[in-house]
Structure formats: structure tokens, C-alpha cells
Amino acid sequence: MSDAPESRRAARTRGPRRRWLLWGVLFIVLLVIAAVAWVTIRGALAKQDLESSVAHVDTLRSQLAKGDTAAAQRTAVQLESSAADARAKTSDPVWAVFEHTPFIGGNLRAVRQVSAIVDDVASDAVRPVAGVLGDVDVDAFKPKDGKIDLQPLVAAQPAVAKATTALSRATSAADRIDTGDTVSAVTDAVNQLRASLASVSEQAVVADKVVQLAPAMLGDGGAKQYLVLFQNNAELRAGGGIPGAVALLDVKDGAISLGQQASTSDFPQADKPVLPLTTETQGLYGSITGEFIQDVTLTPRFDTSAKLAREMWRRQFGQRVDGVLSIDPVTLGYILKATGPVKLATGDELTSDNAVQLLLSDAYAKYPDPAVQDLFFASAASAVFTKVSEGGFDPKEFIAALTTGVDEGRVKLWSADKSEQSELTGTAIAGGLPTSDASSQRFGVYLNDATGAKMDYYLEKTVSVGSEVCRKDGRPTWTVEVTLTSTAPADAATSLPEYVTGAGAFGVAPGAVRTNVAVYAPSSGVYVTSTQDGKTASPQTATDGDHPVAQFQTTLSPGKSTTIRVQYLGGPDQGRTPVDAVSTPGVHQSVTKPLATSCESPVD
């Protein structure tokens, strides 16, 4: 009986302890619930802010496309605000603690990183550029009294440079986000962000180069002269077409005028290349590359073509130009969408719909005398240029035309200034050989006319590329397929002008078209084998720089087709890298298609 009071005292002591323990556990549970609720609510609000940011981006794109710069500036402010809110809601201490919890931690960390990247892009890229949009809109590229105002471009240089740097940092940050344990919705959002940033970052680099280079190249602070090559796609060259006419472009402080014009017949054949040619160029395309101005574009290296043309102009006219610009009739057709029809001295009306056919086909029947043809082409180029220089065009359509021409390899530019050229190198307008990277292994398919005539107006081309891993070491098998088709009329030998068919002057039957096809592989490629129309082929194999090359010759009668297949062995760790190809821009634009291959018969 004596133990009873002690037991009652112990029970009374344990009771409060249990209650305090229960209260402590309950407090912790409530704290956890509150923290979870906090993160959940903040996450939902951050999601709304990110969705608002996406909506603002879409609105911004639409406003920029319409040229509504005032509205775009307001939207940029809204984007910056919503992005900052998303970042604030995902960067507090509670959120940081939950980033280390199982199951949900990786998702929260990824959302926080996405929010931070979007905020950085909004504040360091979009907002600075939006701040100068009022001064640099599409109308800034429209000449007034024959002169482009260069000052807005100069003023935009710091903002565009800052945006380019910010986008590059953001792209790298997005690539570092770990999505190994994130849910599909978060993973998809991160992948979408990566793709968008990669695309926009590339565009920003181009924009940065434009605003940095354009003022100087348009004569800001000094006059410059450029040689313009008008390439004729009816007689193909690797670089596009035979230079059918040339002209001098004078620029000073944004004022542009068309100077002396010349026909290729004004340039005599040199007894040897006007500049030393590399062994590769001479071996693949011959010494004529540096002897005739019509042949400087036999090589796909535009810097080489430009230097040769520049030297030929210097020898003939005594002027050392500051750069070389190349353009073709297809691009003129694009530009005519911006200018509207132009009247030529011959009485012909040139429109976006008839430019290619009139310049590359009808003119030869209408004006059989080559000298008159040259005057006709010069008249067309002069008429379009005059309308552009006078500001008689829609600036948005004009920029779109040039952009399309550059993307299709129809517009190229080389500068004799080493610092300017270093900025151009690697961009689409530089006209270099295809470059490969982690995102794609790129081939080049280049066509050179061997008919000595204008039959390539009737030549159609398709290019397909495929990749298959067929080896234990993981090295891919790359296959390139090129199909050429002659759409010339069956009676081409008699119905087409002799100037178009060549009249058999170079050993090609009138009406047929002969073409040299050079396939350039990535530097890691090793030539394996090739076929033409299912039969084993024996191409010329060589290298151009670090590119393996296989060159074929084809001859097609009207209505006939031929298919070349070339197989290369890719490099280690390239089995999953996509493949792509660029090709000579002809009369008709071709798009590289995917090619289905198999290990059983990758070539056949």
C-alpha cells in the first residue's frame, strides 16, 4: 500500500510530459502542413506568373511582327514584372528547404531555376532591347532621300550586346538544369525552355552582328565600295550560279548608289589564276576557278569566290573594293514582294511572280543576242535597286525577303576588312562550308553545271540524309541521297534557243544537262562506298580543308532522273547526333528530307 502515492505522483508527472510531447508533435505537424501549404500555394502562384510570362512573350512577338513598338515596350514591362514575381515566389527559405526533400525536391529545384532564368532573360535581354525599339524599328531600314539613318543602329549596339550575353548565359543555365527525377510536366517545360533559348540566342547573335557591323559597312565614318555579283541559277555553280553580271555599289553615311555595271564578257580570261588557289580547289574545280569571272563560284567557299572576283575587278577597272555581295534572281523575286512591280527600260514589267521565269528563261528566247541579254539583266538589277534606294518598299517585307535569301544561301557577303570578316565568319551570310556541332552533323551537296549553257532552269534536285548505328563500336553509318531530274521539254534540242541548250559546244547533246555533284561530309566522316542508280559508282574522292569530298558527274536527257547514294562512316560518340545537309540554291528551293536506312543494306 505504501507504493500507491508514489505511483500516483509518477502518473501525474508523466501526464504533462505526454501532453507537452503531443503538443510538440502537433506543432511540428502543423508547421510541416503550413510549410507544404506555403510551398503549394507559392508554387501555384509561381505557375500562374510563368504562364503569364509565356502569354506576354506571345503578345510581344505579335506586336513586334506588326511593328507596334510602343505596345511592345509596355508588354516588355509586364513580362519583367511577372517573371520577377515567379522568381520571388520560388526563392524563399521554405522553398529552399523543400528542394532537399525526396520525390518533390528535384521538381521544386527545377521550377526555381526556370523562374530565375525567365527573370534574367526578361530583365537583362528583353527589357534593354525593348528600350531602344522606339528608335530601331523596321522603318529605320527604309532609306529617306536615298539614305539610311545609321544613328539608331549605333545607339542600339550596347542594348543588343547586353541581351546577347544574357541569352547566352541563360542558355547555358538551362542546359545545366537536372531533370533526372522531375515529373513529365516539369521536364517538358525545361526542354521547351532550352529549345526556345537556343533558337532565340542564335537569332540574338545574328542581330548583334548586324547592329555592330551594319553602320561601319554602310559607310558610317567613311565611304565604301562593294562589288555585287548577280548569280544566274540557270547555269549552276556550287555557290549558286554563274556570275552573269557585276556592278559597283557605293555607300557613304548610309547613302547607297549603284555605280559602274559590267558584263562578264568585259573580263578577259586570265592566263593563270589571278590569285593562288589551294591544291584542293584546283584539284576539285580546276584552275579555271581563278581565270574566268564566270567560274569564281565553282567552289562553295564564298570567301575564295569573293577574293577572286575582287582581284579580277581590280585588274580590269583599277578599283580595290571593300567587299563582295552576291544575290540571285530568286531573291530579286522575294524583294519584288516588298517593292511591287518595276518597269524595265525594255518595257517589260518585273514582278515577284514572273521574275525567275523572265530572268532565267523567257529572256533568252526574247533577246537571243547575249549582249542584249546583259543589258536586260543590268536594267532589271538597276530598276529594283533604284526603287529600294528611294524607299519605295515595305520594310517588313524587304527584311523578310533578305532573311529568306540568306537562309536559302542565295545572299552572301564578304568583307575585305579582317575584323568585319571575322564577325561574318560562321554566319549564314558568309557562305562558308557546312559546320557540324553537337546538335547536328551537316553535309554539303554542291552542283556545278558542265553543259556550258542555261539548262539548269529545268533541273530539279532533292537531297535526303539518314543515319544508322550498325557497328559494335557505336560509330554511325551516314547516307546521303541526291536525286536530279530534268524537266526540260522532250523537244528541248529544237524548241529551246541554242544559247540555252549549248548547241553541243562542250560535248553535251543539245537538250541534255550535265552536272558535277560534290558531296561534302563532316570532318569526322570516312568515305565507304557509293552507288548511282543502284550500280556501284567510282567518284572522285578528295578533301577540301578537313571535309572529305566525293564528286560525281551526271548527264540527263529531258524527263530523266538519276539518284546518287553516298555512304560515310561517322565518328565515335556521334551515333545519336542528327544529320542534316545544305545544298546549292537552284531555281527551285529544295528542303533536305530524312532518309530511312537499314544496316542490312544501307547503300542499296
Side-chain angles (χ1 to χ4, degrees), residues 520-553:
Y520 279 58
S523 58
S524 60
V526 177
Y527 173 80
V528 178
T529 187
S530 60
T531 63
Q532 184 169 354
D533 299 327
K535 299 179 181 179
T536 301
S538 300
Q540 174 191 7
T541 55
T543 59
D544 191 347
D546 58 0
H547 291 266
V549 183
Q551 185 163 233
F552 307 78
Q553 187 171 87

mmCIF file of all heavy atoms in Angstrom, residues 520-553:
data_model
loop_
_atom_site.group_PDB
_atom_site.id
_atom_site.type_symbol
_atom_site.label_atom_id
_atom_site.label_comp_id
_atom_site.label_asym_id
_atom_site.label_seq_id
_atom_site.Cartn_x
_atom_site.Cartn_y
_atom_site.Cartn_z
ATOM 1 N N TYR A 520 30.045 16.914 -99.725
ATOM 2 C CA TYR A 520 30.993 17.213 -98.650
ATOM 3 C C TYR A 520 30.488 16.572 -97.366
ATOM 4 O O TYR A 520 29.336 16.791 -96.969
ATOM 5 C CB TYR A 520 31.107 18.716 -98.436
ATOM 6 C CG TYR A 520 32.021 19.437 -99.400
ATOM 7 C CD1 TYR A 520 31.809 19.378 -100.785
ATOM 8 C CD2 TYR A 520 33.084 20.214 -98.939
ATOM 9 C CE1 TYR A 520 32.626 20.061 -101.670
ATOM 10 C CE2 TYR A 520 33.909 20.900 -99.816
ATOM 11 C CZ TYR A 520 33.680 20.817 -101.179
ATOM 12 O OH TYR A 520 34.503 21.494 -102.046
ATOM 13 N N ALA A 521 31.337 15.795 -96.702
ATOM 14 C CA ALA A 521 30.968 15.155 -95.433
ATOM 15 C C ALA A 521 31.542 15.946 -94.262
ATOM 16 O O ALA A 521 32.485 16.735 -94.433
ATOM 17 C CB ALA A 521 31.494 13.723 -95.404
ATOM 18 N N PRO A 522 31.005 15.750 -93.052
ATOM 19 C CA PRO A 522 31.632 16.336 -91.868
ATOM 20 C C PRO A 522 33.069 15.849 -91.733
ATOM 21 O O PRO A 522 33.437 14.794 -92.277
ATOM 22 C CB PRO A 522 30.756 15.824 -90.715
ATOM 23 C CG PRO A 522 29.431 15.531 -91.349
ATOM 24 C CD PRO A 522 29.757 15.033 -92.723
ATOM 25 N N SER A 523 33.883 16.581 -91.008
ATOM 26 C CA SER A 523 35.313 16.282 -90.925
ATOM 27 C C SER A 523 35.589 14.888 -90.374
ATOM 28 O O SER A 523 36.601 14.268 -90.718
ATOM 29 C CB SER A 523 36.018 17.326 -90.057
ATOM 30 O OG SER A 523 35.455 17.354 -88.754
ATOM 31 N N SER A 524 34.691 14.364 -89.530
ATOM 32 C CA SER A 524 34.908 13.035 -88.955
ATOM 33 C C SER A 524 34.497 11.908 -89.894
ATOM 34 O O SER A 524 34.751 10.740 -89.607
ATOM 35 C CB SER A 524 34.115 12.899 -87.646
ATOM 36 O OG SER A 524 32.728 13.084 -87.890
ATOM 37 N N GLY A 525 33.866 12.241 -91.012
ATOM 38 C CA GLY A 525 33.361 11.217 -91.927
ATOM 39 C C GLY A 525 34.468 10.506 -92.698
ATOM 40 O O GLY A 525 35.466 11.108 -93.092
ATOM 41 N N VAL A 526 34.256 9.220 -92.933
ATOM 42 C CA VAL A 526 35.178 8.416 -93.734
ATOM 43 C C VAL A 526 34.373 7.809 -94.885
ATOM 44 O O VAL A 526 33.388 7.097 -94.661
ATOM 45 C CB VAL A 526 35.820 7.292 -92.896
ATOM 46 C CG1 VAL A 526 36.727 6.426 -93.772
ATOM 47 C CG2 VAL A 526 36.602 7.877 -91.725
ATOM 48 N N TYR A 527 34.802 8.102 -96.123
ATOM 49 C CA TYR A 527 34.074 7.582 -97.280
ATOM 50 C C TYR A 527 34.118 6.055 -97.295
ATOM 51 O O TYR A 527 35.172 5.448 -97.100
ATOM 52 C CB TYR A 527 34.693 8.120 -98.572
ATOM 53 C CG TYR A 527 34.111 7.516 -99.839
ATOM 54 C CD1 TYR A 527 32.903 7.965 -100.348
ATOM 55 C CD2 TYR A 527 34.778 6.489 -100.511
ATOM 56 C CE1 TYR A 527 32.365 7.408 -101.508
ATOM 57 C CE2 TYR A 527 34.250 5.923 -101.658
ATOM 58 C CZ TYR A 527 33.041 6.387 -102.150
ATOM 59 O OH TYR A 527 32.511 5.830 -103.289
ATOM 60 N N VAL A 528 32.942 5.439 -97.514
ATOM 61 C CA VAL A 528 32.850 3.979 -97.550
ATOM 62 C C VAL A 528 32.563 3.489 -98.948
ATOM 63 O O VAL A 528 33.338 2.737 -99.542
ATOM 64 C CB VAL A 528 31.759 3.470 -96.575
ATOM 65 C CG1 VAL A 528 31.632 1.947 -96.665
ATOM 66 C CG2 VAL A 528 32.089 3.889 -95.149
ATOM 67 N N THR A 529 31.446 3.907 -99.517
ATOM 68 C CA THR A 529 31.072 3.439 -100.854
ATOM 69 C C THR A 529 29.970 4.326 -101.396
ATOM 70 O O THR A 529 29.426 5.185 -100.685
ATOM 71 C CB THR A 529 30.584 1.973 -100.798
ATOM 72 O OG1 THR A 529 30.384 1.482 -102.129
ATOM 73 C CG2 THR A 529 29.274 1.855 -100.021
ATOM 74 N N SER A 530 29.609 4.133 -102.666
ATOM 75 C CA SER A 530 28.542 4.924 -103.282
ATOM 76 C C SER A 530 27.954 4.176 -104.463
ATOM 77 O O SER A 530 28.584 3.266 -105.035
ATOM 78 C CB SER A 530 29.076 6.289 -103.743
ATOM 79 O OG SER A 530 30.113 6.116 -104.696
ATOM 80 N N THR A 531 26.730 4.555 -104.821
ATOM 81 C CA THR A 531 26.071 3.988 -105.989
ATOM 82 C C THR A 531 25.422 5.100 -106.792
ATOM 83 O O THR A 531 25.131 6.181 -106.272
ATOM 84 C CB THR A 531 24.978 2.974 -105.596
ATOM 85 O OG1 THR A 531 23.956 3.659 -104.852
ATOM 86 C CG2 THR A 531 25.534 1.836 -104.768
ATOM 87 N N GLN A 532 25.209 4.832 -108.066
ATOM 88 C CA GLN A 532 24.416 5.723 -108.910
ATOM 89 C C GLN A 532 23.409 4.871 -109.648
ATOM 90 O O GLN A 532 23.777 3.953 -110.387
ATOM 91 C CB GLN A 532 25.290 6.500 -109.893
ATOM 92 C CG GLN A 532 24.480 7.515 -110.710
ATOM 93 C CD GLN A 532 25.369 8.469 -111.502
ATOM 94 O OE1 GLN A 532 26.588 8.453 -111.373
ATOM 95 N NE2 GLN A 532 24.742 9.305 -112.320
ATOM 96 N N ASP A 533 22.139 5.143 -109.386
ATOM 97 C CA ASP A 533 21.034 4.353 -109.937
ATOM 98 C C ASP A 533 21.201 2.868 -109.626
ATOM 99 O O ASP A 533 20.953 1.990 -110.469
ATOM 100 C CB ASP A 533 20.927 4.578 -111.449
ATOM 101 C CG ASP A 533 20.642 6.033 -111.784
ATOM 102 O OD1 ASP A 533 19.944 6.703 -110.992
ATOM 103 O OD2 ASP A 533 21.133 6.515 -112.818
ATOM 104 N N GLY A 534 21.643 2.589 -108.397
ATOM 105 C CA GLY A 534 21.753 1.211 -107.926
ATOM 106 C C GLY A 534 23.020 0.494 -108.322
ATOM 107 O O GLY A 534 23.261 -0.633 -107.867
ATOM 108 N N LYS A 535 23.867 1.106 -109.117
ATOM 109 C CA LYS A 535 25.113 0.487 -109.543
ATOM 110 C C LYS A 535 26.295 1.149 -108.841
ATOM 111 O O LYS A 535 26.278 2.359 -108.596
ATOM 112 C CB LYS A 535 25.277 0.605 -111.065
ATOM 113 C CG LYS A 535 24.165 -0.091 -111.851
ATOM 114 C CD LYS A 535 24.376 0.096 -113.346
ATOM 115 C CE LYS A 535 23.255 -0.582 -114.143
ATOM 116 N NZ LYS A 535 23.419 -0.391 -115.605
ATOM 117 N N THR A 536 27.304 0.348 -108.553
ATOM 118 C CA THR A 536 28.482 0.885 -107.862
ATOM 119 C C THR A 536 29.084 2.036 -108.651
ATOM 120 O O THR A 536 29.285 1.942 -109.872
ATOM 121 C CB THR A 536 29.534 -0.211 -107.663
ATOM 122 O OG1 THR A 536 28.956 -1.275 -106.898
ATOM 123 C CG2 THR A 536 30.749 0.327 -106.939
ATOM 124 N N ALA A 537 29.358 3.123 -107.961
ATOM 125 C CA ALA A 537 29.922 4.314 -108.602
ATOM 126 C C ALA A 537 31.391 4.459 -108.255
ATOM 127 O O ALA A 537 31.880 3.895 -107.280
ATOM 128 C CB ALA A 537 29.148 5.552 -108.153
ATOM 129 N N SER A 538 32.093 5.227 -109.062
ATOM 130 C CA SER A 538 33.518 5.483 -108.834
ATOM 131 C C SER A 538 33.760 6.990 -108.873
ATOM 132 O O SER A 538 34.278 7.535 -109.853
ATOM 133 C CB SER A 538 34.367 4.781 -109.903
ATOM 134 O OG SER A 538 34.159 3.391 -109.873
ATOM 135 N N PRO A 539 33.363 7.693 -107.823
ATOM 136 C CA PRO A 539 33.516 9.146 -107.811
ATOM 137 C C PRO A 539 34.959 9.568 -107.600
ATOM 138 O O PRO A 539 35.807 8.768 -107.194
ATOM 139 C CB PRO A 539 32.658 9.570 -106.626
ATOM 140 C CG PRO A 539 32.775 8.410 -105.678
ATOM 141 C CD PRO A 539 32.803 7.190 -106.551
ATOM 142 N N GLN A 540 35.219 10.833 -107.882
ATOM 143 C CA GLN A 540 36.496 11.425 -107.495
ATOM 144 C C GLN A 540 36.433 11.671 -105.993
ATOM 145 O O GLN A 540 35.497 12.297 -105.501
ATOM 146 C CB GLN A 540 36.708 12.762 -108.216
ATOM 147 C CG GLN A 540 37.962 13.512 -107.751
ATOM 148 C CD GLN A 540 38.007 14.944 -108.272
ATOM 149 O OE1 GLN A 540 37.046 15.432 -108.879
ATOM 150 N NE2 GLN A 540 39.114 15.625 -108.018
ATOM 151 N N THR A 541 37.388 11.138 -105.255
ATOM 152 C CA THR A 541 37.422 11.369 -103.810
ATOM 153 C C THR A 541 38.590 12.294 -103.489
ATOM 154 O O THR A 541 39.686 12.141 -104.040
ATOM 155 C CB THR A 541 37.555 10.054 -103.030
ATOM 156 O OG1 THR A 541 38.710 9.338 -103.488
ATOM 157 C CG2 THR A 541 36.320 9.185 -103.218
ATOM 158 N N ALA A 542 38.320 13.243 -102.633
ATOM 159 C CA ALA A 542 39.331 14.248 -102.297
ATOM 160 C C ALA A 542 38.976 14.841 -100.949
ATOM 161 O O ALA A 542 38.073 14.367 -100.254
ATOM 162 C CB ALA A 542 39.361 15.328 -103.387
ATOM 163 N N THR A 543 39.696 15.874 -100.566
ATOM 164 C CA THR A 543 39.367 16.633 -99.362
ATOM 165 C C THR A 543 39.380 18.108 -99.718
ATOM 166 O O THR A 543 40.085 18.540 -100.635
ATOM 167 C CB THR A 543 40.365 16.384 -98.219
ATOM 168 O OG1 THR A 543 41.685 16.749 -98.655
ATOM 169 C CG2 THR A 543 40.332 14.932 -97.777
ATOM 170 N N ASP A 544 38.583 18.874 -98.992
ATOM 171 C CA ASP A 544 38.597 20.328 -99.103
ATOM 172 C C ASP A 544 38.687 20.847 -97.678
ATOM 173 O O ASP A 544 37.706 20.803 -96.929
ATOM 174 C CB ASP A 544 37.330 20.833 -99.795
ATOM 175 C CG ASP A 544 37.439 22.309 -100.174
ATOM 176 O OD1 ASP A 544 38.378 22.978 -99.680
ATOM 177 O OD2 ASP A 544 36.587 22.800 -100.942
ATOM 178 N N GLY A 545 39.882 21.269 -97.293
ATOM 179 C CA GLY A 545 40.110 21.581 -95.898
ATOM 180 C C GLY A 545 40.046 20.285 -95.115
ATOM 181 O O GLY A 545 40.750 19.323 -95.433
ATOM 182 N N ASP A 546 39.178 20.220 -94.104
ATOM 183 C CA ASP A 546 39.048 18.974 -93.344
ATOM 184 C C ASP A 546 37.782 18.204 -93.722
ATOM 185 O O ASP A 546 37.359 17.305 -93.013
ATOM 186 C CB ASP A 546 39.059 19.251 -91.836
ATOM 187 C CG ASP A 546 37.948 20.201 -91.401
ATOM 188 O OD1 ASP A 546 37.172 20.649 -92.268
ATOM 189 O OD2 ASP A 546 37.845 20.481 -90.192
ATOM 190 N N HIS A 547 37.183 18.571 -94.871
ATOM 191 C CA HIS A 547 35.973 17.895 -95.335
ATOM 192 C C HIS A 547 36.293 16.835 -96.384
ATOM 193 O O HIS A 547 36.841 17.170 -97.444
ATOM 194 C CB HIS A 547 34.987 18.896 -95.945
ATOM 195 C CG HIS A 547 34.365 19.828 -94.963
ATOM 196 N ND1 HIS A 547 33.157 19.585 -94.357
ATOM 197 C CD2 HIS A 547 34.800 21.009 -94.465
ATOM 198 C CE1 HIS A 547 32.861 20.568 -93.541
ATOM 199 N NE2 HIS A 547 33.855 21.450 -93.585
ATOM 200 N N PRO A 548 35.948 15.565 -96.148
ATOM 201 C CA PRO A 548 36.049 14.558 -97.216
ATOM 202 C C PRO A 548 35.025 14.891 -98.305
ATOM 203 O O PRO A 548 33.891 15.295 -98.011
ATOM 204 C CB PRO A 548 35.693 13.254 -96.512
ATOM 205 C CG PRO A 548 35.853 13.534 -95.050
ATOM 206 C CD PRO A 548 35.533 14.974 -94.872
ATOM 207 N N VAL A 549 35.425 14.722 -99.568
ATOM 208 C CA VAL A 549 34.557 15.064 -100.703
ATOM 209 C C VAL A 549 34.484 13.893 -101.671
ATOM 210 O O VAL A 549 35.501 13.257 -101.967
ATOM 211 C CB VAL A 549 35.072 16.311 -101.452
ATOM 212 C CG1 VAL A 549 34.116 16.695 -102.588
ATOM 213 C CG2 VAL A 549 35.269 17.484 -100.503
ATOM 214 N N ALA A 550 33.275 13.621 -102.163
ATOM 215 C CA ALA A 550 33.086 12.655 -103.252
ATOM 216 C C ALA A 550 32.368 13.382 -104.376
ATOM 217 O O ALA A 550 31.281 13.937 -104.168
ATOM 218 C CB ALA A 550 32.266 11.460 -102.774
ATOM 219 N N GLN A 551 32.967 13.420 -105.568
ATOM 220 C CA GLN A 551 32.410 14.188 -106.690
ATOM 221 C C GLN A 551 32.023 13.260 -107.836
ATOM 222 O O GLN A 551 32.792 12.399 -108.251
ATOM 223 C CB GLN A 551 33.397 15.249 -107.175
ATOM 224 C CG GLN A 551 32.826 16.145 -108.260
ATOM 225 C CD GLN A 551 33.622 17.424 -108.445
ATOM 226 O OE1 GLN A 551 33.078 18.521 -108.403
ATOM 227 N NE2 GLN A 551 34.920 17.299 -108.646
ATOM 228 N N PHE A 552 30.795 13.449 -108.346
ATOM 229 C CA PHE A 552 30.216 12.626 -109.406
ATOM 230 C C PHE A 552 29.863 13.498 -110.601
ATOM 231 O O PHE A 552 29.697 14.715 -110.468
ATOM 232 C CB PHE A 552 28.930 11.940 -108.915
ATOM 233 C CG PHE A 552 29.079 11.158 -107.644
ATOM 234 C CD1 PHE A 552 29.122 11.803 -106.403
ATOM 235 C CD2 PHE A 552 29.163 9.771 -107.668
ATOM 236 C CE1 PHE A 552 29.244 11.089 -105.224
ATOM 237 C CE2 PHE A 552 29.284 9.044 -106.487
ATOM 238 C CZ PHE A 552 29.324 9.702 -105.267
ATOM 239 N N GLN A 553 29.696 12.862 -111.760
ATOM 240 C CA GLN A 553 29.186 13.580 -112.932
ATOM 241 C C GLN A 553 27.963 12.852 -113.474
ATOM 242 O O GLN A 553 27.956 11.620 -113.576
ATOM 243 C CB GLN A 553 30.239 13.697 -114.031
ATOM 244 C CG GLN A 553 29.780 14.594 -115.179
ATOM 245 C CD GLN A 553 30.888 14.901 -116.172
ATOM 246 O OE1 GLN A 553 31.109 14.146 -117.118
ATOM 247 N NE2 GLN A 553 31.605 16.005 -115.954
#
